[in-house]
Amino acid sequence: MHLRCSNEQCATTFDLHERVLSCHRCGDLLEVVVDAATKNAAALKKLWLERRGSYAPKDASGVWRFRELLPSYDDVITLSEGNTPLVRGQKSADWAGVRNLRFKHLGWNPTGSFKDLGMTVGMTEAKFVGAKAVGCASTGNTSASLAAYAARAELVAKVYLPAGKASTNKMAQAVDFGAEIVQVEGNFDRALDALLEVRDLYFLNSINPFRLEGQKTAMFELLEQLEWRVPDYVVVPGGNLGNSSAFGKAFDELKAAGLIDRVPKLVVVQAEGANPFAWMWRSGVEELEPQEHPETVASAIRIGNPRSWRKSLRGVKSTGGFVMDVTDEEIGEAKAMIGRDGIGCEPASATTLAALRKLSESGKIDRDAVVIAVLTGHALKDTDFIVKNSGNELAALSEVKA
């Protein structure tokens, strides 16, 4: 394995463990190159399934269980992440107008979001290369995950958050795990710019290629749960676009290894108030134009300058998918419906169900299509949203009766 510039016109290569986040020649992001075509599909399926019965730390992790397609380490920083459920949407499917809907709920990870899948690999790499301190910019979920895994790795953690824009629930996690909090005036993009100016930190945002290696395993696990039957669509929220980039990479590797014979269409959904990628897709331009003041109730995807857009675009195009957006009102309605299904999620996750309803109503998706909607964060990640949208119900329940 090695690192390679993700710009296909450049494709400059680097040693796997070289501490560099972007290409020295063209400035684009890097990716880990995995020679998946050399793998034996039948042997991998059997081995991965057998490991589910093992208590060894690497096997108990829903990320490291798939380590044949990951960078190799003797010791890993793990909290038994992954192993997240695939839950059938009952009321949600009827509401959205589709018959075959299941939710891949990544909010059932140790710190309550999909970030743990990438953080176990990113933190393991940080420890391997001798980092003493790690850092990230975050809307909240990354900070919680980085803080937890840094604590396990016994590394100093520093997180940069947009002042007043991150959920209290998420900030509380980072504090609980011992991270240093730096609040930056402005939005996530300003926080990330501030972080990148700091020296002596190992950066663990999704611009780090090792983060995406962990996140891609969500699709390995998903296909295994489906007994390797490929769904028609995988729908995912779009913020900094690391997840959709990772999923596109996963599908390429699974197909190259012969584990699947086709790929699902990848659908990326943004909030209407933070939609530079969706705007780019609709307009047909070749370069993403950053959105200076992104705004949406879905704080986890309130990002105006997604750094992984090129990788995500490649994944969307290679799968025959597309990009779209939904309003805050549609997000709120979809979140409430997921809750009524007994599942629950943070607001950003609900973009997926909102998008499905929109697609169904416009006739752009077959009602019988097999659809996987990815939920990226737990319902308890943003309880302020629930309180604000409950009307007087919670207030009435909290009153003490004389």
Side-chain angles (χ1 to χ4, degrees):
M1 291 186 187
H2 60 274
L3 295 176
R4 181 179 64 198
C5 176
S6 59
N7 183 338
E8 295 177 351
Q9 303 303 315
C10 177
T12 301
T13 61
F14 303 82
D15 291 338
L16 180 63
H17 301 296
E18 189 170 344
R19 288 185 65 171
V20 56
L21 286 180
S22 60
C23 178
H24 297 319
R25 288 181 58 189
C26 72
D28 221 326
L29 299 181
L30 306 180
E31 60 187 0
V32 176
V33 177
V34 177
D35 192 1
T38 63
K39 307 300 181 181
N40 182 297
L44 284 180
K45 289 179 182 180
K46 183 174 182 292
L47 178 61
W48 292 346
L49 196 60
E50 287 175 347
R51 284 177 179 158
R52 293 181 65 180
S54 168
Y55 295 108
K58 282 187 179 180
D59 296 342
S61 166
V63 172
W64 297 106
R65 187 160 62 84
F66 302 104
R67 53 189 174 270
E68 283 69 26
L69 296 182
L70 294 173
S72 177
Y73 306 93
D74 291 333
D75 299 307
V76 298
I77 309 301
T78 178
L79 286 165
S80 298
E81 54 290 315
N83 304 306
T84 58
L86 190 59
V87 186
R88 186 170 295 278
Q90 297 172 174
K91 295 177 182 177
S92 297
D94 290 339
W95 183 80
V98 294
R99 295 190 176 95
N100 300 303
L101 170 63
R102 276 171 281 190
F103 293 108
K104 178 60 173 169
H105 206 326
L106 304 183
W108 290 32
N109 269 290
T111 73
S113 85
F114 75 93
K115 304 291 187 177
D116 297 340
L117 302 176
M119 202 59 69
T120 182
V121 181
M123 197 65 69
T124 296
E125 174 68 10
K127 189 78 171 180
F128 181 83
V129 298
K132 302 301 181 185
V134 293
C136 71
S138 177
T139 58
N141 282 331
T142 305
S143 66
S145 184
L146 177 135
Y149 281 81
R152 299 297 296 178
E154 299 183 329
L155 299 179
V156 174
K158 183 176 289 190
V159 300
Y160 285 65
L161 301 174
K165 298 292 183 68
S167 161
T168 303
N169 306 74
K170 298 172 186 178
M171 285 196 295
Q173 286 183 283
V175 170
D176 196 32
F177 300 138
E180 178 184 344
I181 310 295
V182 179
Q183 296 203 67
V184 178
E185 289 299 324
N187 55 30
F188 166 83
D189 303 299
R190 297 282 177 83
L192 182 55
D193 288 340
L195 170 71
L196 293 174
E197 294 177 0
V198 181
R199 297 183 179 182
D200 301 323
L201 280 181
Y202 185 88
F203 302 120
L204 278 169
N205 280 93
S206 58
I207 56 177
N208 184 313
F210 294 92
R211 278 276 312 278
L212 269 59
E213 288 303 289
Q215 287 168 217
K216 76 183 182 185
T217 63
M219 295 298 100
F220 296 179
E221 184 176 84
L222 168 66
L223 269 298
E224 185 183 63
Q225 289 170 319
L226 294 172
E227 298 181 318
W228 303 101
R229 293 189 293 269
V230 180
D232 297 308
Y233 296 91
V234 171
V235 189
V236 59
N240 213 24
L241 303 178
N243 243 359
S244 50
S245 299
F247 294 173
K249 188 175 191 291
F251 298 144
D252 286 345
E253 292 175 2
L254 291 173
K255 192 169 185 295
L259 290 156
I260 55 177
D261 58 6
R262 65 181 182 89
V263 298
K265 291 181 172 64
L266 185 62
V267 180
V268 180
V269 189
Q270 293 199 297
E272 193 176 76
N275 65 347
F277 194 48
W279 184 91
M280 175 190 175
W281 179 264
R282 282 196 298 267
S283 63
V285 299
E286 296 184 358
E287 293 287 324
L288 182 136
E289 182 178 334
Q291 190 172 352
E292 189 172 348
H293 300 293
E295 191 54 57
T296 172
V297 297
S299 61
I301 55 173
R302 192 188 291 141
I303 297 172
N305 186 19
R307 308 304 169 101
S308 295
W309 70 266
R310 291 186 191 275
K311 291 182 181 181
S312 180
L313 183 63
R314 186 174 65 195
V316 171
K317 287 184 173 180
S318 69
T319 63
F322 52 91
V323 186
M324 60 183 293
D325 55 18
V326 293
T327 67
D328 278 1
E329 182 180 359
E330 290 166 336
I331 291 171
E333 292 173 353
K335 175 174 163 45
M337 181 51 62
I338 294 170
R340 297 300 183 270
D341 236 337
I343 300 171
C345 64
E346 70 171 337
S349 298
T351 58
T352 56
L353 184 63
L356 285 174
R357 182 180 174 93
K358 208 168 184 176
L359 292 169
S360 177
E361 289 177 343
S362 63
K364 293 182 179 179
I365 188 171
D366 192 309
R367 288 177 60 85
D368 291 318
V370 178
V371 182
I372 305 299
V374 178
L375 303 180
T376 48
H378 197 280
L380 296 180
K381 281 288 188 173
D382 192 350
T383 53
D384 286 346
F385 181 91
I386 300 172
V387 173
K388 289 177 182 177
N389 288 271
S390 68
N392 295 319
E393 187 176 350
L394 281 175
L397 289 172
S398 65
E399 288 182 1
V400 177
K401 302 298 182 180

